[in-house]
Amino acid sequence: MRVELITREDLESFKKELFEEIKRHSPYMRKSAQEPKEWLKSYEVRKLLGISAGTLQNLRLNGTLPYTKIGGLMYYRYEDIRKLLEGVDGS
């Protein structure tokens, strides 16, 4: 019987190869890596735009940024955020 030793480096290499293989074959992983989510939560919008919770609330209240409320959470379409940014940039 032949005995082989497996090192930490071997395991790290295997882990990296395994994750790459999963990414290649998973439609969910490909989608998230290539295109943004359709709906974003408030904290994601604040992070994306670099604004405070109060500023986001003002954008909601004055109708600048449409949103959908489900339960206690507000969701924003990525497309609406993109349009808002293009309008600000003058594009």
Side-chain angles (χ1 to χ4, degrees), residues 5-62:
L5 294 177
I6 299 175
T7 65
R8 179 178 293 272
E9 290 80 22
D10 294 333
L11 291 174
E12 289 293 328
S13 175
F14 174 72
K15 180 175 83 171
K16 184 177 179 182
E17 289 175 25
L18 182 60
F19 279 130
E20 290 301 317
E21 191 69 21
I22 290 170
K23 286 180 186 178
R24 273 197 299 274
H25 294 291
S26 171
Y28 176 77
M29 295 297 283
R30 273 197 309 271
K31 181 179 180 185
S32 66
Q34 293 175 354
E35 55 190 62
K37 297 191 300 188
E38 183 176 355
W39 292 93
L40 301 173
K41 292 181 180 177
S42 293
Y43 78 91
E44 294 169 313
V45 175
R46 291 195 323 264
K47 185 176 178 183
L48 181 66
L49 298 178
I51 59 176
S52 68
T55 301
L56 182 56
Q57 181 179 6
N58 287 334
L59 292 173
R60 279 195 314 265
L61 292 176
N62 66 23

Side-chain angles (χ1 to χ4, degrees), residues 81-91:
I81 296 165
R82 189 184 61 75
K83 287 178 184 176
L84 175 69
L85 289 173
E86 286 178 355
V88 170
D89 292 338
S91 301

